[in-house]
Structures are given as structure tokens and as C-alpha cells.
Amino acid sequence: MSDAAFLSLEKLTLAYGDTVAVKDLDLSIRKGELVAFLGPSGCGKTTTMRSIAGLLSPASGAIRLDGADITRVSANKRSVGLVFQSYALFPHLTVFENVAFGLRLKKLPANEIESKVTTGLKSVGLSKFSARKPGELSGGQQQRVALARSMVMEPKVLLLDEPLSNLDARLRLEMRTELQRVQKETGVTMIFVTHDQGEALSLADRIVVMLNGAIEQIGTPEDIYNRPTSRFVADFVGFENIFAVEGGKLKAGNGPLELSGSLPPDTAGLAWRPRMVTLGSGPFQGTVRGASFSGSTREYLLDTPLGAIKAEEDAALAARETGTAIAFDLPVDKAARLKKFG
Amino acid sequence: MKPRVFTPLVLFLVIGFLIGPFFIIVAASLSGGETLAFPPQGFSLQWVAKVFTVESFRESFAISMLLAIGGTAAALVLGVPASYALSRYKLPFGETVRTIVSLPIIVPGIIVGLALLRYIVVPFGFNITLVLFLAHTALVLPYAVRVVSASLNNLRSDIEEAAVLLGSSRAGAFFRVVMPNIRSGILAAFILGFVTSFNQVPVSLFLSGPGVRTLPIDMLSYMEITYDPSVAALSALLAFMSIGIVFLAERFLGFSRYV
Ligand SMILES: Nc1ncnc2c1ncn2[C@@H]1O[C@H](COP(=O)(O)OP(=O)(O)O)[C@@H](O)[C@H]1O
Ligand SMILES: [Mg+2]
């Protein structure tokens, strides 16, 4: 079962009136996976989550969960949990009653509700706060109530919309660990939205990078970080030297440049992180324009016939003077090969 | 003048102007004389006692209470769903509806009353009590919509979606998580509507007939015939009733947040 798709989105198109927010999205997620939707604001992450939860009906396409087509199943019968970016706790109910809300609707016996809520609150470390109202809690605590409220329902899929973005830096790290722990302990299939690549890389089993309502790349954190396949993803994860490739030649500065080594025919671009650039030797010539020291490394900005190049070197090496000429190389074997350049 | 003298003076004058008449009425109602006069002549509680013996006062008080409670309740039954729809959905004529609903505040009551009498009651022979009831409902509706909208706008709409995702139906979400959170707004609207309806004169003036009269109208016609201090006594009693209601509302609801 672990390799089969547990949740799949098939040619999903989502629209607000005439505005298409997400187009022809295909995605399949395995049971127990922790997936991150990563992308800039407005790319359709929330919209996709809302449609999985059933709060937005698709213009076309299908959603399948655990072997059933749930495209037309209403939101209250889907077994999909959603933790809202704003938490959406019920202000008139205590923490305990917030968590008990869904269990009461299920008409479970009172002692079962009691024990589930108690366990749920304990697992997020809020046992002491069960009698408080949401207004008397900090942002991080409210977030954990929202998490417990969804988790006690034992959803098939738990969706979290930007679960960390409203928290301060310290709480964010704490909550990151918390989410990972809850996911590992319960094995729930979890999708969370973020626009922070660090969060996605450190938490997710798999990352779905979105741009303009479509998937740009899907892969493990290593794939995304080391092997971006599009210009956008390369840029997003910090490849700062990105060039188009046409007919096996690098398109840069003064014209096409022969590359040492051959490339697969579908290569549309190449990208290097600053630290992948070889300094001091190589076929290209440049001038040091500026340098910045960042503790363990020194970053140089080079003026070259290819355009501006950013290179990085160990800070233990001698600093290079601004204005000096320098040879450098962009090693093709180290570069990320981009299939999409647009 | 220096502001230190000027500001308290203005404050004093304004407050005096606003609540001065109240004290005059109270004093006049405790008069021992036979006519409505200020300063009062002597002291007695006879006029306060007389209020309760005038049969027409008792009848019109009942009618006013019925209109104020029933009309406000009806306005809320219409106004709460209307406010909900206006605040949660982008309706094609939302703004127009909002404007139409608030018209009864803007159009002078005299005109509303005359129009209802001339074009509804007279030509179609409608029951005057029914028209009076509908008129009060319409007069209170703007307040109901305004106050309830204000508390709905303070409530995030995503809690309803959260309720749905936890297994509730849409309607269930409204009753389980919206209503409890706007309850004090609804109560505030009720009180405001009650007071508005109870004190309403111009519209009710046109819509009175044999045996159907609201209390303020009854007081007007009583004064035309009998010029004794019992009207002052009744006014004072009503004023205390309003003060009591608003005091309780402020104490338990923080009423002033809504008005
Ligand atoms: N309620 C709405 N009505 C109309 N357009 C919307 C609505 N919500 C989102 N959009 C549009 O859909 C696109 C995707 O939005 P969203 O899914 O919220 O992005 P993200 O969560 O990735 O920031 C955006 O262009 C946004 O303007
Ligand atoms: Mg969003």
C-alpha cells in the first residue's frame, strides 16, 4: 500500500469566477507522507488546499482519497483536517470544547470524548489550558489547539496552511519539531503550505514547488535543493548564476559560448551556486567587482563577459583585491541542468 | 476665556440641556397641584398613582409593548439572516439592499406614516394594527441590520469553515459557532429596537384608530383633554424604564460598543 497513491489530484483546475487560480494540477501523495507545498504568495497553495478539504469545488478534474472519488463529497464528510493560517478557533468555547467540537458532532460517548480531548491536549502540551478561552492564549498556543482539534478527528489527511508563518522565530523552530513529531507518532498523511524554502527542506519528505497555479517541480528536499529542474526553482533555492542553453551552447553576455563536455539534448539552462564556481583557474576571465565576508566564506561579485557572476570561496583563503583580474570556471558536471527556462 | 474654564462650562451646559428636562418632568410629576406646571406646587404621589388607573393608558401601554417586542423580534428574524447574507456573500445587489433597508431612518416618519395611511390602509382597507406592526418592524429593521452586521463583521468567517470541516453542516455551523458569538450583538439590537419602537411617534400618529393607539400617541391625546400632571408622571416612569433597560444592557453586554 505504501507505494500506491493515497491522495491524488487529477487534472485539477480551480477557479474563482472567471479567474483560474490553479490549472491542470496532477499530484499523487502516498499514505503517511509529509508533503510541503512551496511557492511564492499567490501561486495557488491555499486554493489547492481548500479544494482538497472540499471548501472549493473544482472547475474540472478529480480528487481521489483512499480509493474513493471525493470530488463531489461535501467538506463535512471527507475526513480531511485543515489547520487554518488564522487558526479559526471558536472564540466562545473553551480550549477543551474547541477540541471536543468535532467529537461531539460524531455523537461519541462522553467518556470517550473526554479521554480523546485529554490525550489530544496533552500531546500538544496544553493540558493546563483546557479551561481557557482562545482569546487568553498566545499565537503559538492557539496554533497547537487548532492542531489538536484537527488531530483528535483522526483525519485521513491533515492540511496545514502556513502553520509557522505567524509565529516568532523561536516558536517556529519549536513548532517545526512538534509537527514532525506528531506526524511521526500518528503516521497521518500531512500536507503543509509554506513560502519558506528552509521550512520545506527541513520538514518535508517531498516538496511540491508551485508557481502561477501550476507545479514547477516535485521532489525530495535533496532533489529540490541540489537538482532544480527549472529556472524558477533554481533561483528560489539559491542558485545565483543561471544561464540559458541553446544547441549545447551557453547563452551569456557576448554570445553563445562553447561548453566543455556534452549535455543531454533537453537541457534548457544551467545553474551554479556561488560555491560551485571555481576561482583562480579556468577558461573564463573576469574582474573582481566587490567582496563580502560572511564568517566562514567570502563571496565575490565578478564582472565577466558572461555578465555578473557570484562566486564563493573559503574564508581561510587569502582575500582577493577588488579590481584584480581573475580566471574562473563554471564546471558543467557540477551544474544543475534546467529543463525549463522561462 | 481659558479652555480650563471654557470646556467644563460647555460640558455643563450640554449635559444640562440634555438631562435638564428629565428632572423637570420628574419634579412636575410629584406636584400637589391640579395642572401640569413647573416649578411644582406642593408634593404628592397622587399623579403617579393615577397613571395606573387610566384605562386607556393601560391599553395603549399593552399595544406599545406588543409592538416593541413583536416588531423588534420580527425585525431580527428578518435582519439577522439579511445581515449574515450581506456580510458573508458578495450579493449582486448587496449595496442596494443595504440602502433600502436603512431608508426608514432617512425618510421622515411623518412621510412614512402618511404614505402608509393614504396608500395602504385607506385604499385596501388593511387592518390598522397589522399595518402598525409592519411599520414598526420596518422602522426597527435598519437598527437590527446595522448592529448585527457590526458584530458579524467582527467575527472571522473561517470559523464556519472550521466547523464544517469538523463535521458540521453549513446551517449547523451558523447555529453552533456564528449565533453564540453574535448573541450579545443581537441582544443589543433588540434593546435598541425596543426603545426605538416604544418611543416612536410620527408613524404611529397616522396609524391609530378606535382602540388602537400606542402609548405616546395616547399621551398626546390625553393632554389635549386633561392637562394634569399624570402625563408627566407617566413620562417619568417610562424614562426610568428606559434608563433601567439601558443600564442593565450596558452592565451585562457593554451595550455602548454597538451603538
Ligand atoms: N476568494 C478569492 N477570489 C478571487 N480570487 C482569489 C480568491 N482567493 C485567491 N484568489 C486568487 O487566486 C490565486 C491563488 O491564491 P492563493 O491560493 O490564496 O495563493 P497562495 O496561498 O499560494 O498565496 C491568487 O492570484 C489570488 O489572487
Ligand atoms: Mg495562502
Side-chain angles (χ1 to χ4, degrees), chain A residues 14-17 19-22 38-50 56 85 161-162 193-195 210 213, chain B residues 90:
Chain A
L14 306 167
Y16 296 100
T19 328
V20 175
V22 169
L38 174 66
S41 179
C43 70
K45 306 181 296 291
T46 298
T47 304
T48 308
M49 294 277 236
R50 290 174 60 81
L56 178 71
Q85 193 171 359
D161 197 355
E162 310 234 2
V193 158
T194 179
H195 57 252
M210 291 182 69
Chain B
K90 252 200 206 134

Side-chain angles (χ1 to χ4, degrees), chain B residues 15 17 34 56 64 75 84 95-96 160 175 187 212 252:
Chain B
I15 290 177
F17 181 76
E34 292 294 314
S56 79
S64 273
Y84 181 77
E95 272 319 297
T96 318
E160 293 160 59
F175 289 106
L187 256 163
V212 186
F252 295 108

Side-chain angles (χ1 to χ4, degrees), chain A residues 63-113:
Chain A
I63 304 171
R64 303 179 67 82
L65 176 60
D66 200 9
D69 185 342
I70 58 161
T71 318
R72 305 278 159 227
V73 173
S74 64
N76 55 352
K77 302 207 167 64
R78 281 194 183 189
S79 303
V80 173
L82 173 59
V83 175
F84 289 77
Q85 193 171 359
S86 55
Y87 320 137
L89 297 179
F90 309 128
H92 64 297
L93 297 178
T94 59
V95 166
F96 185 97
E97 284 305 321
N98 263 278
V99 178
F101 189 89
L103 302 171
R104 292 208 190 285
L105 287 172
K106 274 189 179 171
K107 301 221 180 343
L108 297 183
N111 56 348
E112 199 174 323
I113 293 177

Side-chain angles (χ1 to χ4, degrees), chain A:
Chain A
M1 179 81 203
S2 83
D3 246 22
F6 183 63
L7 171 69
S8 55
L9 312 181
E10 294 159 11
K11 291 230 162 300
L12 198 63
T13 297
L14 306 167
Y16 296 100
D18 290 335
T19 328
V20 175
V22 169
K23 194 157 169 49
D24 286 334
L25 195 90
D26 278 305
L27 176 65
S28 76
I29 291 172
R30 288 184 297 274
K31 191 169 179 154
E33 227 179 345
L34 175 47
V35 173
F37 283 1
L38 174 66
S41 179
C43 70
K45 306 181 296 291
T46 298
T47 304
T48 308
M49 294 277 236
R50 290 174 60 81
S51 81
I52 297 171
L55 296 172
L56 178 71
S57 1
S60 65
I63 304 171
R64 303 179 67 82
L65 176 60
D66 200 9
D69 185 342
I70 58 161
T71 318
R72 305 278 159 227
V73 173
S74 64
N76 55 352
K77 302 207 167 64
R78 281 194 183 189
S79 303
V80 173
L82 173 59
V83 175
F84 289 77
Q85 193 171 359
S86 55
Y87 320 137
L89 297 179
F90 309 128
H92 64 297
L93 297 178
T94 59
V95 166
F96 185 97
E97 284 305 321
N98 263 278
V99 178
F101 189 89
L103 302 171
R104 292 208 190 285
L105 287 172
K106 274 189 179 171
K107 301 221 180 343
L108 297 183
N111 56 348
E112 199 174 323
I113 293 177
E114 168 101 35
S115 84
K116 282 188 186 221
V117 173
T118 309
T119 314
L121 283 176
K122 200 167 154 199
S123 83
V124 295
L126 286 177
S127 305
K128 275 186 292 183
F129 298 91
S130 67
R132 296 232 192 143
K133 292 277 178 70
E136 301 159 353
L137 299 179
S138 72
Q141 292 168 332
Q142 293 188 36
Q143 170 105 64
R144 283 181 285 159
V145 176
L147 182 63
R149 185 177 67 178
S150 290
M151 287 304 298
V152 295
M153 298 299 288
E154 293 163 16
K156 289 179 175 167
V157 181
L158 180 64
L159 310 172
L160 302 115
D161 197 355
E162 310 234 2
L164 307 171
S165 66
N166 287 345
L167 307 177
D168 63 43
R170 198 179 53 81
L171 268 175
R172 203 174 302 164
L173 269 176
E174 205 175 288
M175 198 65 201
R176 232 191 238 191
T177 329
E178 180 94 6
L179 283 180
Q180 229 162 5
R181 185 183 59 78
V182 166
Q183 203 266 341
K184 287 287 165 292
E185 273 175 18
T186 59
V188 66
T189 308
M190 203 186 261
I191 305 177
F192 75 99
V193 158
T194 179
H195 57 252
D196 178 338
Q197 53 143 323
E199 253 167 54
L201 291 168
S202 66
L203 265 175
D205 297 328
R206 216 146 54 104
I207 298 174
V208 176
V209 185
M210 291 182 69
L211 178 67
N212 297 329
I215 292 177
E216 191 76 3
Q217 185 175 352
I218 305 178
T220 62
E222 283 83 3
D223 286 338
I224 300 293
Y225 191 76
N226 296 325
R227 291 175 291 281
T229 57
S230 79
R231 177 191 190 161
F232 169 77
V233 179
D235 189 37
F236 204 70
V237 297
F239 284 74
E240 296 190 69
N241 306 299
I242 304 176
F243 298 97
V245 168
E246 243 168 47
K249 295 191 173 91
L250 203 64
K251 261 183 73 180
N254 301 341
L257 256 158
E258 281 301 339
L259 283 164
S260 53
S262 65
L263 290 170
D266 64 348
T267 307
L270 289 174
W272 291 266
R273 289 183 185 280
R275 64 176 159 72
M276 295 170 171
V277 178
T278 315
L279 280 183
S281 65
F284 306 117
Q285 285 295 319
T287 317
V288 178
R289 226 348 110 232
S292 69
F293 174 69
S294 69
S296 58
T297 62
R298 235 184 285 272
E299 191 169 273
Y300 295 101
L301 184 64
L302 308 181
D303 230 1
T304 79
L306 305 175
I309 293 281
K310 271 193 181 168
E312 200 177 274
E313 234 180 6
D314 200 316
L317 299 170
R320 296 172 191 278
E321 294 294 320
T322 302
T324 52
I326 188 170
F328 70 95
D329 191 15
L330 298 172
V332 173
D333 56 336
K334 284 189 183 162
R337 296 198 172 116
L338 313 181
K339 293 186 181 124
K340 189 172 160 211
F341 200 95

Side-chain angles (χ1 to χ4, degrees), chain B residues 194-213:
Chain B
F194 178 90
V195 173
T196 304
S197 162
F198 203 90
N199 294 333
Q200 218 287 322
V201 171
V203 175
S204 309
L205 194 56
F206 285 91
L207 301 171
S208 22
V212 186
R213 243 183 216 165

